[in-house]
């Protein structure tokens, strides 16, 4: 009779926990978690059996993973104390084992919480880095266009050239805004169809750029998608800077386990000019960080950048 009553009380706590589950870490859910854990421990004290240990184990696991230590630690301690008391009172050696399992469940839960917290911090850092790069690139280009417009008015009173620079500045502003939104959406959703971003980048480059796709396109992870996007952005920026008015080719080749990204463009001043600066080391670092490789080189008056990334 006692076992049936305690089982019913424990089951009510479990049902309440299940029904209130969508409320997450609210006080209501916390009450049901503690109810289930403590009632489950009493149930094991009354009826030591592995079949009914899951109430206590899952409650302590959840307490470690989602509840603050001021709640989770006392709950796990109380559950273990009830089971140890049962063992000391001679209600079965199984209770000592279950007490240890309950303690381990709480520790595993806290480890999961720490891992999730570390992943969140890493993701925030990655988002901050992406936004820093986007804004730095956009604002630098915008500043150059505004300065050029000012110079056109001050030195030659060339209103048409100044207007052209201001038009370009407005386009860069819109492009930077769209890129920021795309980056946030990409990092939030965790996957990206890189083609939409690439087409926007080509449209904003001001160059004649051909896009060729081999294989069946598929979504990429956020990290890979943004690395590919940054690679193309840097390569096309270099092409536009060192061979203005030239033609570039972008080739995306989807293989079973990777994506090959190729940018091929004419050079106006030789490979040494195109490959100078900090752009190439930054590109290589980004690609290496996601487990890819980057190769660059000049041949026949053209500059080629080729990356292979896992996909």
């Amino acid at each position: 009779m006692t076992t049936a009553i305690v089982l019913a009380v424990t089951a009510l706590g479990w049902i309440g926990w299940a029904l209130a589950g969508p409320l997450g870490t609210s006080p209501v859910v916390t009450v049901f978690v503690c109810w289930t854990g403590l009632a489950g421990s009493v149930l094991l004290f009354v009826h030591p059996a592995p079949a009914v240990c899951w109430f206590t184990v899952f409650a302590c696991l959840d307490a470690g993973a989602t509840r603050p230590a001021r709640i989770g630690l006392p709950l796990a301690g109380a559950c273990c104390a009830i089971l140890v008391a049962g063992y000391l009172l001679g209600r079965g050696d199984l209770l000592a084992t279950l007490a240890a399992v309950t303690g381990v469940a709480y520790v595993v839960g806290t480890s999961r919480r720490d891992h999730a917290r570390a992943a969140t911090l890493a993701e925030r850092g990655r988002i901050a880095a992406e936004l820093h790069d986007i804004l730095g690139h956009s604002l630098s280009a915008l500043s150059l266009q505004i300065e050029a417009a000012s110079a056109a008015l001050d030195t030659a009173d060339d209103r048409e050239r100044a207007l052209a620079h201001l038009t370009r500045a407005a386009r860069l502003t819109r492009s930077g805004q769209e890129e920021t939104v795309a980056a946030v959406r990409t990092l939030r959703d965790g996957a990206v169809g890189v083609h939409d971003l690439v087409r926007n980048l080509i449209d904003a480059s001001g160059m004649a750029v051909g896009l060729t796709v081999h294989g069946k396109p598929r979504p990429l992870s956020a990290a890979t998608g943004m690395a590919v996007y940054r690679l193309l952005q840097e390569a096309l920026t270099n092409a536009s800077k060192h061979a203005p008015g030239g033609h570039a080719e972008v080739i995306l080749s989807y293989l079973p386990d990777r994506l090959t990204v190729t940018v091929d463009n004419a050079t106006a001043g030789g490979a040494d000019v195109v490959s100078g600066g900090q752009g190439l080391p930054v590109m290589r670092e980004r690609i290496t960080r996601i487990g890819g490789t980057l190769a660059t080189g000049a041949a026949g008056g053209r500059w080629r950048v080729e990356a292979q990334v896992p996909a």
Side-chain angles (χ1 to χ4, degrees), residues 34-103:
C34 295
W35 179 347
T36 303
L38 293 173
S41 299
V42 174
L43 177 61
L44 285 170
F45 182 94
V46 175
H47 182 72
V52 295
C53 73
W54 303 112
F55 295 110
T56 299
V57 171
F58 284 147
C60 290
L61 180 65
D62 180 85
T66 63
R67 314 294 151 181
R70 69 177 185 275
I71 294 174
L73 190 57
L75 172 62
C79 292
C80 289
I82 293 171
L83 298 177
V84 170
Y87 166 71
L88 295 177
L89 292 173
R91 302 195 64 85
D93 294 342
L94 178 62
L95 291 177
T97 302
L98 295 179
V101 171
T102 298

Side-chain angles (χ1 to χ4, degrees), residues 53-287:
C53 73
W54 303 112
F55 295 110
T56 299
V57 171
F58 284 147
C60 290
L61 180 65
D62 180 85
T66 63
R67 314 294 151 181
R70 69 177 185 275
I71 294 174
L73 190 57
L75 172 62
C79 292
C80 289
I82 293 171
L83 298 177
V84 170
Y87 166 71
L88 295 177
L89 292 173
R91 302 195 64 85
D93 294 342
L94 178 62
L95 291 177
T97 302
L98 295 179
V101 171
T102 298
V104 169
Y106 176 75
V107 172
V108 170
T110 57
S111 298
R112 288 175 55 185
R113 180 177 58 194
D114 293 341
H115 179 74
R117 183 183 296 117
T120 299
L121 292 175
E123 181 69 4
R124 288 176 181 173
R126 188 156 61 89
I127 292 174
E130 293 294 349
L131 293 180
H132 176 273
D133 290 347
I134 290 171
L135 295 176
H137 180 272
S138 299
L139 292 177
S140 296
L142 180 62
S143 176
L144 289 175
Q145 294 300 320
I146 294 175
E147 290 175 2
S150 177
L153 290 174
D154 290 342
T155 60
D157 196 24
D158 189 342
R159 298 176 64 86
E160 291 187 3
R161 187 154 64 92
L163 183 60
H165 284 299
L166 291 176
T167 301
R168 173 67 173 164
R171 188 161 60 247
L172 286 169
T173 301
R174 289 193 299 271
S175 175
Q177 182 181 16
E178 293 171 357
E179 188 179 342
T180 301
V181 172
V184 172
R185 185 177 65 246
T186 296
L187 292 167
R188 180 194 62 206
D189 295 343
V192 58
V194 75
H195 290 227
D196 291 338
L197 294 177
V198 172
R199 290 190 181 95
N200 291 338
L201 183 60
I202 290 174
D203 292 340
S205 68
M207 295 183 62
V209 181
L211 175 62
T212 303
V213 180
H214 298 299
K216 184 178 181 180
R218 57 183 179 270
L220 304 174
S221 69
T224 299
M226 291 308 299
V228 169
Y229 181 80
R230 292 285 172 227
L231 169 73
L232 292 171
Q233 183 183 55
E234 184 67 30
L236 291 177
T237 298
N238 281 343
S240 177
K241 182 187 302 181
H242 298 293
H247 181 269
E249 285 290 336
V250 175
I251 304 172
L252 303 177
S253 301
Y254 288 88
L255 302 174
D257 60 345
R258 66 187 184 278
L259 168 65
T260 299
V261 183
T262 305
V263 181
D264 185 272
N265 61 273
T267 61
D272 291 339
V273 175
V274 177
S275 60
Q278 297 301 312
L280 182 58
V282 172
M283 279 195 289
R284 192 179 304 280
E285 181 182 350
R286 277 186 174 275
I287 297 300

Side-chain angles (χ1 to χ4, degrees), residues 5-51:
I5 294 174
V6 177
L7 177 59
V9 171
T10 306
L12 285 175
W14 181 274
I15 293 171
W17 182 8
L19 293 176
L23 298 178
T25 57
S26 70
V28 174
V29 180
T30 299
V31 168
F32 281 119
V33 170
C34 295
W35 179 347
T36 303
L38 293 173
S41 299
V42 174
L43 177 61
L44 285 170
F45 182 94
V46 175
H47 182 72

